[in-house]
Amino acid sequence: MKDFLNKMSRTASTAANKAGSKANELIEIGKLKAKIGSQKQDIAEAKRDIGEYCYGLFKDQKLEDEKIKEFCEKISACEAAIADLQKQIDAVKDDYNTETCEENGSAE
């Protein structure tokens, strides 16, 4: 019986050590993954900065790379579309405000 208890104690101890090691491994992996995530954010920020720099060159007509010009022209087209959509939003707001004022009997 004593041998059985000693063997069971060793098995439990081994299992606890393995569990502790696994927990430490998972903690260390978690820390490393967080660092990877931080590095990926830094990369995304640098790419954004590159894009802003290139777009500035494009607007100043100092950009020579044709592929980058294509991307910049797409951005310009999107900005124009956004400006048009914003005008449409403003028109809808104006129409709504005018109708609301007329319904309430007040004029702006």
Side-chain angles (χ1 to χ4, degrees):
M1 181 71 156
K2 189 175 181 181
D3 288 336
F4 174 74
L5 292 176
N6 285 338
K7 187 176 182 180
M8 200 157 119
S9 174
R10 283 191 303 258
T11 302
S13 178
T14 301
N17 285 339
K18 285 183 180 179
S21 293
K22 191 65 172 177
N24 287 336
E25 175 186 346
L26 293 174
I27 289 170
E28 196 62 32
I29 288 171
K31 289 178 185 177
L32 293 170
K33 285 185 176 184
K35 288 180 181 180
I36 288 170
S38 177
Q39 292 297 314
K40 286 182 177 182
Q41 287 177 343
D42 289 347
I43 289 169
E45 184 178 330
K47 286 180 178 180
R48 188 194 73 238
D49 292 344
I50 289 169
E52 289 176 3
Y53 175 76
C54 289
Y55 191 61
L57 291 175
F58 171 77
K59 289 174 94 175
D60 294 339
Q61 297 179 347
K62 296 179 180 178
L63 190 62
E64 296 179 15
D65 186 289
E66 290 303 314
K67 190 66 175 174
I68 295 174
K69 281 183 182 180
E70 288 176 29
F71 293 132
C72 292
E73 288 167 356
K74 183 176 181 179
I75 292 169
S76 291
C78 290
E79 288 178 337
I82 290 169
D84 183 54
L85 293 168
Q86 187 60 52
K87 287 178 186 176
Q88 292 177 36
I89 289 171
D90 293 341
V92 169
K93 284 182 180 180
D94 288 344
D95 289 347
Y96 178 77
N97 287 335
T98 301
E99 289 174 11
T100 303
C101 289
E102 288 173 0
E103 289 173 3
N104 292 333
S106 64
E108 284 190 16

